[in-house]
Amino acid sequence: MSDKYAVPNKLPGKTISVLAHRKRRILQDKASIEQKKKLRTERIAKSKKYRKFRRPESFVMNYIKAERTANRVKRVLRTNILKTNDAGKTNQKLLLVMRHAGKKVFDETTNTILRTLRMPVRHNAVFLENSKENQILLKVIEPFVVYGFPTITTIRELIFKKGFARIEGKKTAIQSNTMIEDILGDKGIICLEDIIHEIYTVGANFESVINFLCSFLLSSPRDGWKNKVSVPYKRGGEYGDRGNGINELIARCM
């Protein structure tokens, strides 16, 4: 057999330490991390020094938008809306409302109504009773919301997929019916199906159930908005009353 393939009998003359290699790699990794942090800090500091040029019109536009919205609100309230009762024209007792527009709303009245209805940010959705008072509020904030009459399937899908409870002021996932029974058990509501039934029928404990649930946070519709969001639904746009069409939209947002 050739000596070429023979296994050497003596150990290598230089001692190799695994721990030394490991220590060196750790130090190299730390140095790399520190270098990245330093570069990131320098980049942030540099970006703060640089101020983007803004045209004067961009500052004025916010006030123009606020003034337009305020004038629209006055016009809506002036057109005898207080004398009308759209809620009486239909047998539907429940409304599903989703805020779809208005990342920044500059009118204080509109902002207050959106916060009161628990829709402080875009894509928040809530259930409301189809009453005269709520119809008036929806008319005021109509360019920023879409609403309609949900089916029991839509209600069930929303609660099971996007439902959270507010317990002691904190947003908490509904993990069991025990949580529901502890809060709403004195009202005869002990499970999710009871909540769904109470919402769909707008029962006597509707307000308690709505206060127990957090507002739903949805996403933008799949495939995007099909029409212009700044045009009413009745005129071929997106915002406003959609009737039963709200169910198809919410299904695309979940």
Side-chain angles (χ1 to χ4, degrees):
M1 184 176 179
S2 174
D3 294 338
K4 181 180 178 181
Y5 301 102
V7 179
N9 293 326
K10 57 181 181 179
L11 295 173
K14 189 176 180 181
T15 305
I16 300 174
S17 174
V18 177
L19 295 178
H21 281 296
R22 184 182 299 171
K23 184 177 180 180
R24 186 163 59 250
R25 287 197 303 270
I26 291 173
L27 292 176
Q28 288 174 352
D29 292 342
K30 286 184 177 179
S32 177
I33 292 171
E34 291 296 329
Q35 182 68 15
K36 288 180 180 179
K37 285 184 178 179
K38 184 179 178 181
L39 291 174
R40 184 172 180 272
T41 305
E42 291 176 355
R43 188 168 62 251
I44 292 174
K46 187 177 180 180
S47 65
K48 287 183 178 179
K49 291 181 181 178
Y50 173 74
R51 294 189 177 182
K52 185 179 178 181
F53 175 77
R54 294 182 63 184
R55 295 180 178 275
E57 292 85 352
S58 63
F59 297 97
V60 179
M61 187 56 64
N62 296 340
Y63 296 98
I64 294 176
K65 288 181 179 179
E67 186 177 1
R68 286 176 181 171
T69 306
N71 291 336
R72 185 190 58 79
V73 171
K74 291 179 182 178
R75 189 166 59 251
V76 166
L77 296 176
R78 195 167 53 240
T79 54
N80 297 326
I81 192 171
L82 296 175
K83 298 180 181 179
T84 62
N85 189 0
D86 293 338
K89 297 179 181 179
T90 177
N91 295 326
Q92 298 285 349
K93 298 181 180 180
L94 182 66
L95 289 172
L96 175 57
V97 187
M98 184 184 82
R99 176 178 174 179
H100 77 294
K103 186 176 182 180
K104 289 184 179 180
V105 181
F106 300 99
D107 179 59
E108 190 58 35
T109 303
T110 306
N111 255 329
T112 303
I113 295 175
L114 288 171
R115 286 195 298 267
T116 303
L117 297 180
R118 303 192 304 159
M119 292 183 289
V121 297
R122 284 192 303 174
H123 303 139
N124 274 152
V126 293
F127 293 111
L128 293 178
E129 183 182 358
N130 188 15
S131 62
K132 179 180 178 180
E133 293 77 12
N134 287 335
Q135 285 285 349
I136 294 172
L137 295 179
L138 290 176
K139 288 292 183 183
V140 173
I141 62 172
E142 195 170 41
F144 305 98
V145 296
V146 293
Y147 58 95
F149 310 124
T151 61
I152 192 168
T153 303
T154 301
I155 298 171
R156 182 175 284 109
E157 290 288 323
L158 270 176
I159 292 177
F160 275 96
K161 291 183 178 180
K162 300 288 185 178
F164 285 86
R166 188 173 299 281
I167 299 176
E168 296 180 356
K170 296 181 180 180
K171 187 177 181 180
T172 309
I174 304 175
Q175 298 176 347
S176 66
N177 289 328
T178 307
M179 298 170 59
I180 301 172
E181 188 174 2
D182 291 341
I183 305 297
L184 301 173
D186 57 337
K187 297 177 174 59
I189 300 171
I190 60 174
C191 62
L192 278 175
E193 288 299 328
D194 290 343
I195 288 179
I196 294 169
H197 177 267
E198 193 70 20
I199 291 174
Y200 184 66
T201 59
V202 191
N205 300 311
F206 177 78
E207 288 296 330
S208 300
V209 171
I210 294 303
N211 292 331
F212 171 73
L213 294 173
C214 297
S215 56
F216 305 98
L217 184 59
L218 306 180
S219 306
S220 296
R222 289 191 300 273
D223 304 327
W225 297 97
K226 297 180 180 179
N227 303 305
K228 292 187 68 174
V229 295
S230 58
V231 178
Y233 182 75
K234 294 179 180 179
R235 289 166 48 192
E238 292 289 354
Y239 79 75
D241 186 7
R242 305 172 75 94
N244 295 322
I246 192 69
N247 298 288
E248 183 268 337
L249 175 64
I250 296 298
R252 289 166 52 212
C253 293
M254 283 194 288

